[in-house]
Amino acid sequence: MIVADKKPIEEIVEEFGQVKNLLIAGCNECVTVCEAGGKKEVGILASALRMYFLNQGREVKIDEVTLERQCDHEYLEEIRNMVDQYDAVVSMACGVGIQFLAEEYPKLPVYPGVNTCFMGATEKRGLWVERCQGCGQCILAKTGAVCPITRCAKRLMNGPCGGSTRGKCEISQDTDCAWQLIIERLRMLGRLDEYEKLFPIKDWSTDRAGGPRKVVREDIQL
Amino acid sequence: MRLQYPTNINIIRVPCTGKVDILHILRAFEKGADGVYAVGCMEGDCHYNTGNLRARKRVEQASKILDTVGVGGKRVQMRNLSSGEGPLFVKFAKEIVEQIKELGPNPLKQAKAGIQKEKNAA
């Protein structure tokens, strides 16, 4: 899922001008799971902003809505009839949802309500970790399902660097050495011989370096 | 024991302080409460293991939010006692009421009154 973090309220309010009617739009998908932009977080932000504006002697009408997804046109249609009454929207979806919402309603100012961080997983409650960088050409089959692109600070493709100490990366004692994990996993699978094979030069044209990417699937396009 | 505690406290009973959400606390302030405190079981004694620990975290979060929006984070606090400690409950009640009185009324009440006054004048 896409992992987002809470955006400080001070930062969110900084962006508004003299709004009178504000809509806070949450998303029921990833940001709900990572407790940053779901229905509950929408409620908390709405409540906090109501108090903030009131304390400044301003009466601002703040409404709440949580869409099934903000990265899909059909779910964004659900608010078409109501958006006209608002001066601005705070979207608590990931960066994708925020942009899609703005594209759908071009005349409406849209502000981010979260900081979108990465593609990751919930390791335990309150701890999310990055596991994929979307390089566009998955090599997990050869690395024992541990991604060196994401988990190695240097994105090394052929074994650890000299900074790997006792299974940890030199950037931090909290960071596992990805290649240590790969070797351990390959050993467990009895496939350590694969570690001996050199990786060919990786084609990075499918990575972000080539600019914004697209997936075109003509087989399912109508 | 028939102990007396301040009468300006509105007790909201929950099955466990773990039920108390940040939103419950924030809504209380939106509705004009001058202070909110959660009284849970002793830490380590929760029947549901972590209910009172969750409550403390939520109280801390609510406190931060209230500081940010200018209401004052000290208006929300957490206290722990065992169910047999009636006198301690009274002590906490008196202590908190005293502290909140020092902080004064919820600033939102004044702000609301100000907005209403402007409206009436217009």
Side-chain angles (χ1 to χ4, degrees), chain A residues 35-51:
Chain A
E35 301 185 41
K39 195 176 178 187
K40 182 171 276 185
E41 291 74 30
V42 167
I44 292 170
L45 181 65
S47 177
L49 289 183
R50 262 183 230 119
M51 287 193 272

Side-chain angles (χ1 to χ4, degrees), chain A residues 57-152:
Chain A
R58 288 167 62 188
E59 202 176 21
V60 179
K61 183 174 163 267
I62 299 176
D63 288 335
E64 304 164 26
V65 68
T66 304
L67 301 174
E68 199 52 43
R69 270 205 290 282
Q70 289 192 27
C71 54
D72 246 328
H73 286 298
E74 60 182 288
Y75 294 110
L76 288 170
E77 283 300 321
E78 286 173 16
I79 53 168
R80 185 163 297 279
N81 293 334
M82 55 193 282
V83 288
D84 288 345
Q85 50 181 307
Y86 299 105
D87 307 322
V89 179
V90 176
S91 169
M92 297 193 76
C94 68
V96 181
I98 298 166
Q99 293 182 60
F100 237 49
L101 179 73
E103 282 169 31
E104 189 82 17
Y105 303 108
K107 286 183 185 164
L108 194 67
V110 179
Y111 300 105
V114 298
N115 288 326
T116 309
C117 301
F118 49 75
M119 274 187 271
T122 314
E123 197 157 275
K124 61 178 187 183
R125 183 126 194 248
L127 176 65
W128 290 274
V129 286
E130 188 168 19
R131 284 289 182 268
C132 180
Q133 289 207 341
C135 71
Q137 209 182 37
C138 196
I139 52 160
L140 288 172
K142 293 188 174 66
T143 57
V146 177
C147 179
I149 310 292
T150 316
R151 302 186 68 180
C152 169

Side-chain angles (χ1 to χ4, degrees), chain B residues 48-116:
Chain B
Y48 305 101
N49 293 337
T50 53
N52 48 4
L53 303 178
R54 283 175 201 273
R56 180 171 291 280
K57 291 251 175 171
R58 288 169 188 162
V59 164
E60 283 166 8
Q61 283 183 57
S63 171
K64 270 188 200 159
I65 292 173
L66 290 172
D67 260 336
T68 309
V69 300
V71 173
K74 283 184 185 157
R75 292 178 184 276
V76 57
Q77 296 181 23
M78 174 90 195
R79 291 285 187 277
N80 299 87
L81 47 69
S82 88
S83 56
E85 292 179 304
L88 193 57
F89 179 85
V90 174
K91 185 174 165 261
F92 286 158
K94 285 180 179 165
E95 236 175 58
I96 301 244
V97 166
E98 211 45 55
Q99 285 179 26
I100 305 287
K101 273 188 178 167
E102 262 173 48
L103 291 171
N106 180 345
L108 298 179
K109 277 195 281 196
Q110 249 178 332
K112 252 185 211 169
I115 290 174
Q116 199 56 44

Side-chain angles (χ1 to χ4, degrees), chain B residues 14-72:
Chain B
V14 285
C16 168
T17 42
K19 173 71 193 167
V20 180
D21 195 74
I22 306 174
L23 258 182
H24 297 142
I25 301 171
L26 297 183
R27 290 268 155 83
F29 284 99
E30 268 194 73
K31 288 185 173 180
D34 297 319
V36 172
Y37 69 110
V39 187
C41 300
M42 298 302 287
E43 288 186 4
D45 279 352
C46 178
H47 180 70
Y48 305 101
N49 293 337
T50 53
N52 48 4
L53 303 178
R54 283 175 201 273
R56 180 171 291 280
K57 291 251 175 171
R58 288 169 188 162
V59 164
E60 283 166 8
Q61 283 183 57
S63 171
K64 270 188 200 159
I65 292 173
L66 290 172
D67 260 336
T68 309
V69 300
V71 173

Side-chain angles (χ1 to χ4, degrees), chain A residues 125-190:
Chain A
R125 183 126 194 248
L127 176 65
W128 290 274
V129 286
E130 188 168 19
R131 284 289 182 268
C132 180
Q133 289 207 341
C135 71
Q137 209 182 37
C138 196
I139 52 160
L140 288 172
K142 293 188 174 66
T143 57
V146 177
C147 179
I149 310 292
T150 316
R151 302 186 68 180
C152 169
K154 290 177 177 169
R155 294 174 151 202
L156 292 181
M157 300 292 289
N158 288 293
C161 70
S164 174
T165 314
R166 293 194 190 94
K168 298 290 175 190
C169 176
E170 65 184 341
I171 61 159
S172 155
Q173 277 301 305
D174 301 331
T175 308
D176 289 324
C177 168
W179 274 100
Q180 179 81 28
L181 296 176
I182 293 169
I183 291 164
E184 278 168 13
R185 177 109 166 107
L186 289 176
R187 184 181 290 137
M188 224 185 295
L189 295 170

